[in-house]
């Protein structure tokens, strides 16, 4: 085994450890924070919500004003939502200690793998 091969094995080990840490972090990220059920609903007029163009009903989003919006996008299929599938109001990593509507949307929506859009 030469030096280059050893380096490659180290790199592979590093990638594996990083990937494992990332997966466990992602799993923790997906969990609702403690006490989430009692969080208040996010107000569309909240300054951060307004800045991110959050609405309770994604069907009201104007695609002309929000070109990154595509029909089918909503909080329930966003990577940032946590809590329980099927709940009408769920925690979101972007709005700590608030609940967002499952049918809501904001401009930082990112597809949650494994969900339909
Ligand atoms: S980040 Fe995702 S889940 Fe949170 S409000 Fe925006 S679209 Fe909804």
């Amino acid at each position: 085994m030469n030096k280059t091969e050893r380096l490659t094995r180290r790199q592979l080990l590093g990638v594996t450890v990083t990937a494992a840490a990332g997966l466990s972090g992602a799993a923790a990220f997906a969990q609702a924070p403690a006490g989430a059920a009692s969080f208040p609903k996010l107000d569309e007029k909240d300054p951060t919500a307004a800045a991110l163009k959050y609405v309770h009903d994604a069907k009201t989003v104007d695609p002309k004003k929000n070109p990154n919006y595509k029909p089918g996008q909503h909080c329930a299929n966003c990577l940032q939502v946590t809590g329980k599938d099927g709940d009408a109001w769920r925690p979101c990593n972007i709005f700590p200690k608030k609940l967002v509507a499952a049918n809501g949307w904001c401009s930082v929506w990112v597809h949650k793998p494994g969900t339909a859009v």
Side-chain angles (χ1 to χ4, degrees), residues 42 52 54-55 74-82 90-95 100-102 104-110:
L42 177 64
L52 297 180
Y54 170 82
V55 291
H74 50 84
C75 293
N77 60 18
C78 173
L79 185 64
Q80 300 298 344
V81 79
T82 63
R90 299 173 61 179
C92 166
N93 293 318
I94 303 300
F95 300 102
V100 298
W105 183 87
C106 84
S107 60
V108 296
W109 180 93
V110 175

Side-chain angles (χ1 to χ4, degrees), residues 25-105:
F29 208 53
Q31 293 176 349
S38 61
F39 291 165
K41 293 175 182 174
L42 177 64
D43 186 335
E44 290 179 352
K45 292 178 181 145
D46 171 284
T48 306
L52 297 180
K53 302 178 180 179
Y54 170 82
V55 291
H56 294 318
D57 184 356
K59 290 180 179 152
T60 65
V61 176
D62 181 349
K64 288 179 185 159
K65 292 180 182 169
N66 301 283
N68 57 333
Y69 170 76
K70 301 285 181 281
Q73 296 177 351
H74 50 84
C75 293
N77 60 18
C78 173
L79 185 64
Q80 300 298 344
V81 79
T82 63
K84 202 169 86 187
D85 286 342
D87 283 357
W89 292 87
R90 299 173 61 179
C92 166
N93 293 318
I94 303 300
F95 300 102
K97 300 189 176 180
K98 298 280 172 62
L99 298 177
V100 298
N103 292 325
W105 183 87

Side-chain angles (χ1 to χ4, degrees), residues 1-11:
M1 183 182 329
N2 64 32
K3 210 172 186 176
T4 305
E5 286 173 327
R6 263 188 248 136
L7 186 61
T8 300
R9 285 183 182 188
R10 278 191 195 147
Q11 288 172 329

